[in-house]
Amino acid sequence: EKNRGIYKFELYSTLRAITNFLNGDKSSIRAFQLAWGSELVSIYAPSASRKDYVSPFPDKEDEFADFDYDKNLLFDALGSLTVTLDRLKSGGLLGFYEISIPYDDYGSVVTLALDDYSSIGAEILLSEQNISCDGPMQALMRSLFDKARIKCTVDTFFIDPSTTRQDDYNPTQLLLSLSNVSKM
């Protein structure tokens, strides 16, 4: 637990310093996030591919009926994400995770849920202070989708799966919703 606290503090202070150094410039922050995500993949999943991603849902024939992006590039990105998350999980930075493409959205939404996510405290604090540099998972997702030539909107949610009572709220789950998924 002590190591997690040190990690959260270092992540918070580093991202705050990077944002200050970049003067909050959105294009510079985006470039940093893409480079950071790309570096995570090169370290943890340099040879990952679509064969490393397994959907938690059974295949449906018309699941990707209305998409305009390259499905194989999406699955390559999700394979890299899977391998990277497995490595981070083995290092104790997160617990269970799930990557899904909800069937009823026909390939236009991808979600990533991370339980027992070590960085969540630092990311909540950065969010509350309107620091515009997102955490490592957002950087990873943006980088992978950029490489796959897929654009999307990334929404971040901090969730406490044990309660809806605001007084008892203690988020431990990060949910990333990537919506409006389409070709760049």
Side-chain angles (χ1 to χ4, degrees), residues 7-8 10-20 22 24-38 40 112 114 117 119-143 152-158 174-178:
Y7 169 73
K8 285 188 271 192
E10 288 177 353
L11 178 68
Y12 167 79
S13 57
T14 300
L15 290 179
R16 186 171 176 145
I18 288 168
T19 301
N20 289 339
L22 297 174
D25 179 63
K26 291 194 183 297
S27 65
S28 297
I29 290 171
R30 177 172 168 71
F32 164 73
Q33 292 252 289
L34 292 174
W36 186 18
S38 181
L40 288 170
L112 171 62
L114 303 171
Y117 179 55
S119 303
I120 200 162
E123 291 187 34
I124 290 171
L125 186 55
L126 290 165
S127 174
E128 288 174 349
Q129 295 177 345
N130 291 321
I131 304 295
S132 55
C133 193
D134 289 324
M137 292 304 111
Q138 294 90 332
L140 180 61
M141 294 299 288
R142 284 190 177 101
S143 172
C152 64
T153 302
V154 179
D155 293 307
T156 303
F157 302 95
F158 305 108
L174 176 75
L175 175 67
L176 297 181
S177 175
L178 288 76

Side-chain angles (χ1 to χ4, degrees), residues 10 20 53 60 81 103 120 122 124 137 154 173 179 183:
E10 288 177 353
N20 289 339
Y53 170 69
K60 302 275 186 179
L81 177 63
Y103 171 72
I120 200 162
I124 290 171
M137 292 304 111
V154 179
Q173 186 180 75
S179 57
K183 181 172 65 173

Side-chain angles (χ1 to χ4, degrees), residues 147-166:
K147 182 179 177 186
R149 308 295 302 150
I150 297 172
K151 65 180 178 178
C152 64
T153 302
V154 179
D155 293 307
T156 303
F157 302 95
F158 305 108
I159 299 172
D160 181 346
S162 67
T163 186
T164 58
R165 290 177 32 95
Q166 201 62 26

Side-chain angles (χ1 to χ4, degrees), residues 54-113:
V54 178
S55 174
F57 305 111
D59 287 339
K60 302 275 186 179
E61 195 167 305
D62 63 342
E63 183 172 8
F64 293 93
D66 296 329
F67 68 92
D68 65 350
Y69 54 84
D70 185 330
K71 183 174 98 171
N72 289 325
L73 290 177
L74 171 67
F75 288 152
D76 283 340
L78 296 181
S80 294
L81 177 63
T82 299
V83 172
T84 302
L85 292 175
D86 283 339
R87 295 284 307 275
L88 295 175
K89 182 178 177 181
S90 70
L93 292 177
L94 59 101
F96 177 79
Y97 69 87
E98 180 179 270
I99 306 164
S100 63
I101 305 168
Y103 171 72
D104 54 352
D105 290 312
Y106 300 101
S108 68
V109 174
V110 176
T111 62
L112 171 62

